[in-house]
Every structure is written in structure tokens, then in C-alpha cells.
Amino acid sequence: MLAGDDGSRPTISIVVPAFNESRRLGASLHQVSDFVGTSPISFEVIVVDDGSTDETADIVRRFEKNGIRLIANGVNRGKGYSVRAGVLNAAGTYVLFTDADLSTPIEEVNTLYEIARRDDFDIVIGSRALDRRYIERHQSRFREVGGIAFNRMVRIILGLDVYDTQCGFKLFHRDRTRPIFEQLTTERFGFDPEVLFLAARRGLRVKEVSVRWRHSDETKVRIFREGARMLADLVRIRRNARAGKYDVLKR
């Protein structure tokens, strides 16, 4: 159910970053609305329009009667910037960010939330790598191998014990992770490793969980251009750490 107007805090805020998503966002928001409308958990839904030049914002406004809120960046800043904006404007005890194409079905939030609540994890992240039998439609072999290679670089450069940093389905305890998002420096697709790196530095408890996932041919990630940028982001994050730029985040 959607949180009411009585000032009560929703249990989960759903943050959806969106850039030129007019072709598929309407269907995704219908699915999200149907799900939260029948759930016993209280939700709020926030769509962050990242400077779209199509009808993305207009589509979100049509769902305002359903309680879905629009945040507009004004200009294109990137997925990381948009997720950060959504998290910092969220009111829920937990914040889920999910890709606009719902490659991971929204119902999988129940799995992440139950683990976070039951075992007191600060962050629970969806994963395609722990058990690939959960993948309902694979990427091309080239993209899949590229993703595996990138995650190996994440483990080498940042020392993270995570097998899939890039699945767009992650649940955060809002209050415990807010300082991380306040300090986030990566604005585009490489923001996930920085979030998890900063979480590790703070000693936050992170759980990686298999989720259902289905590849969309309309993915915005261009593997050569974004892959090179994301590798550069890993090196920059490591340099930031060595230069002490994240020291303010230590307990």
C-alpha cells in the first residue's frame, strides 16, 4: 500500500531513475502501482527524471494520482546522480532502487526486505551471479563476459567481496546509508561499486541475494564507452581512498 498523507513514514521508498524511458516507463509504473496497491507493506514511489527529452516526465505526472512522485534533475546528470537524488529525498525506513525496465520483477523486493529486516542487514543487493539459473533471459555472451570481467576488476581494485555490483536492484537502510549517498562522487553507471566500497569502509553489513532477472534489449549501457568510464571510476575511487577523501565517512 502507498503511504498516506498523515505524515506516517513509509516502510520502503522505491526510487526509479529514468532517462528517456517513455517507451517502457508507463508499463513499469502500472506494475509498480499494482504491486504496492495490494502489498501490506507501506511504500512511496519516486521517479527521478534525469533530464529526459521525451515524454518521460509527462508519463510520471499521469501517475501522481496513484501517489507516485516526480523529481526532475533538469539536465542529464547520470544514473548515479539520479539514484543519489532519490535516496536523499526518500522518507522510507528502507530505500529500494530499481531500473526503469523492471529487469528484476518488483515483487523481488519482498525477498530483500525480509532478509534486511530479519537479519538486520544494512544493504541487501540483488545478484545475477550467485545462481545464474535465476536469469530468465540472458544478455549476449559478449555482454555477459564483459560483466564478469568488470566484477573481477571490482574485486581486485576495490577489494569488494561482491560477485555482481551492477544488478539494478538494491535495498538500503536509509538512515544508516544516507552518509554514503551524501558523499557519493560517481554520477553515472559506475556508482554502485563506490556505494559498496564506502559501505565496507563504514563496516556496514551487506548481503548479496539471487533474484530473478531478465535482460532488456533497450539497455542504456553502451559496453565500450561506459565500460571504459566505469573502469576509470574504479581507479578514481581507489585514488580518492588513498588521498583520504573518504576519511570523513569512517566511524
Side-chain angles (χ1 to χ4, degrees):
M1 62 180 176
L2 283 168
D5 298 325
D6 58 357
S8 60
R9 182 174 180 176
T11 301
I12 301 175
S13 300
I14 299 175
V15 172
V16 184
F19 173 64
N20 288 345
E21 291 286 358
S22 61
R23 291 182 59 181
R24 53 188 180 178
L25 186 60
S28 294
L29 293 182
H30 273 297
Q31 292 179 50
V32 171
S33 295
D34 290 345
F35 169 73
V36 302
T38 58
S39 174
I41 302 170
S42 60
F43 289 89
E44 70 167 346
V45 182
I46 301 169
V47 179
V48 183
D49 176 24
D50 190 24
S52 298
T53 56
D54 63 3
E55 296 181 354
T56 292
D58 293 334
I59 290 171
V60 179
R61 291 188 185 100
R62 293 172 199 160
F63 284 86
E64 287 180 343
K65 64 181 182 298
N66 297 47
I68 294 178
R69 181 155 55 104
L70 173 67
I71 295 175
N73 291 342
V75 297
N76 180 250
R77 296 293 300 267
K79 184 178 180 180
Y81 183 93
S82 299
V83 171
R84 178 182 183 272
V87 171
L88 295 182
N89 280 278
T93 302
Y94 292 90
V95 183
L96 174 85
F97 106 73
T98 180
D99 288 339
D101 60 6
L102 298 185
S103 292
T104 296
I106 191 62
E107 292 81 6
E108 292 287 82
V109 68
N110 290 330
T111 300
L112 272 59
Y113 171 64
E114 175 58 24
I115 291 171
R117 185 190 61 80
R118 182 191 66 209
D119 299 326
D120 197 31
F121 281 101
D122 304 303
I123 302 173
V124 184
I125 66 173
S127 177
R128 301 160 293 186
L130 290 179
D131 188 342
R132 295 189 179 275
R133 290 175 298 179
Y134 282 78
I135 299 176
E136 297 174 351
R137 185 186 182 206
H138 284 259
Q139 305 174 77
S140 69
R141 183 61 180 164
F142 178 71
R143 294 182 70 92
E144 200 161 272
V145 169
I148 293 170
F150 177 75
N151 275 280
R152 286 179 180 169
M153 295 304 296
V154 170
R155 294 167 71 87
I156 292 169
I157 296 173
L158 299 185
L160 291 177
D161 188 21
V162 176
Y163 290 90
D164 184 6
T165 61
Q166 301 310 115
C167 181
F169 203 79
K170 295 179 173 68
L171 184 74
F172 304 92
H173 188 286
R174 190 196 67 160
D175 290 346
R176 298 174 194 166
T177 60
R178 184 180 178 88
I180 290 172
F181 285 95
E182 289 174 341
Q183 295 292 324
L184 192 67
T185 65
T186 307
E187 295 192 345
R188 296 198 175 271
F189 290 106
F191 78 98
D192 306 75
E194 186 176 25
V195 169
L196 297 173
F197 179 73
L198 295 177
R201 285 174 64 86
R202 286 183 64 83
L204 297 184
R205 300 183 69 226
V206 179
K207 178 69 173 179
E208 187 173 10
V209 178
S210 293
V211 292
R212 290 179 291 148
W213 186 84
R214 182 179 179 84
H215 173 65
S216 170
D217 291 330
E218 296 183 49
T219 176
K220 296 290 197 304
V221 180
R222 300 296 174 256
I223 192 163
F224 288 112
R225 182 183 66 188
E226 297 299 341
R229 182 179 287 167
M230 289 161 66
L231 285 173
D233 284 335
L234 296 182
V235 174
R236 179 181 53 78
I237 292 164
R238 173 52 69 184
R239 286 176 177 169
N240 283 348
R242 289 175 177 168
K245 293 184 178 181
Y246 298 131
D247 287 352
V248 67
L249 290 175
K250 290 183 178 178
R251 291 187 185 275

